[in-house]
Amino acid sequence: MAPQRRGAPKAPEGNRAADRRRPSSTKSVRAPRDVWKKWLRVAVLGACTTFVALLLWGSLRGDDSITEVLAHRSEVLPGRFIEVPCSEDYDSHRRFEGCSPRKCGRGVSDAIITRDEARRIRSIAEKGLSLGGSDGGASILDLHSGALSVGKHFVNLYRYFGDKIQSIFSEEDFQLYRDLRQKVQLAIAQAFGISASLLHLTKPTFFSRINSTAARTAHDEYWHAHVDKVTYGSFDYTSLLYLSDYLDDFGGGRFVFMEEGANKTVEPRAGRVSFFTSGSENLHRVEKVHWGTRYAITIAFTCDPDHGIADPTFT
């Protein structure tokens, strides 16, 4: 009997089931990987979001650390004074008995200069700065040295413009400048209990005009915290006479005394004088101006007659 021909052996049923399961088994391996990748993307995104949030919080916290406004723009202050311990900055400089700071602090007054006087002296700044102005947001005019911001540089106002100065300024302008300087000097002497005759005007003493234009040079970066006695060794007493109003003429631009966790701000007001001893006890900065134009005069005094300068004269 011829042997019967048999077909190819059938695969066991169990093996077929295994074959059918192989694709789903591959998917089950791939699925955790996909989940892992998605989780990783979410984690990275979350970390980035957290980092940005922390930066923003830190920035806001820096603003929140301004816990006290020393002088509001709406106030009319006959005088406000805060005494603070003197720093050691003065120890590395020659001391002058009866003048070098022994009593340190900061004061604000709206009773030294009138708003009308502030308006009139602001016109001096406007006339002088109309001859130039920085490419960046901060311009200066120094009637003593003649320094004037022009583009990215400074020129000597008196040499550069020569006889044209006679048609820009007047003797009355310079007399007003001298009168207001003397009023500020007397107020500082009274606040710190020293003789006004022992104070000498020192450089740099200048008008400043600040707006929101982006900085072009390091000279435009006015907002960094600094100590006047460190920056200018001759300074013993610093003052600022504001010539425009916070929130009416400009936004930002407040003056900030830096103190850990308790910064103090002065909101500029035309005619307001802010004055202080120039050492590290009065670390300070100016906020960036966000809009408008801020005008002020920095007037500084030294106890060292060798660093004194004369009032500007109209010639």
Side-chain angles (χ1 to χ4, degrees), residues 122-183:
R122 171 174 163 169
S123 72
I124 300 175
E126 291 172 334
K127 288 187 291 187
L129 288 165
S130 71
L131 300 173
S134 171
D135 286 344
S139 302
I140 72 157
L141 166 65
D142 185 336
L143 292 180
H144 300 267
S145 68
L148 172 69
S149 300
V150 176
K152 294 183 175 63
H153 308 285
F154 298 97
V155 300
N156 186 303
L157 174 75
Y158 304 117
R159 294 178 187 171
Y160 196 80
F161 294 99
D163 293 340
K164 188 177 181 180
I165 296 300
Q166 305 291 326
S167 63
I168 298 296
F169 301 116
S170 67
E171 173 56 37
E172 288 73 20
D173 289 335
F174 280 71
Q175 186 59 53
L176 175 64
Y177 183 93
R178 292 190 291 268
D179 290 344
L180 299 194
R181 185 275 304 162
Q182 186 175 33
K183 288 184 179 183

Side-chain angles (χ1 to χ4, degrees), residues 81-87 102-106 259 277 280-282:
F81 185 82
I82 298 175
E83 188 169 350
V84 298
C86 292
S87 66
R102 297 287 184 184
K103 171 187 175 182
C104 293
R106 58 195 68 145
E259 293 184 7
T277 45
S280 298
E281 68 277 1
N282 283 313

Side-chain angles (χ1 to χ4, degrees), residues 213-227:
T213 305
R216 297 290 187 270
T217 71
H219 298 296
D220 297 317
E221 297 181 8
Y222 56 85
W223 55 82
H224 300 297
H226 64 279
V227 174

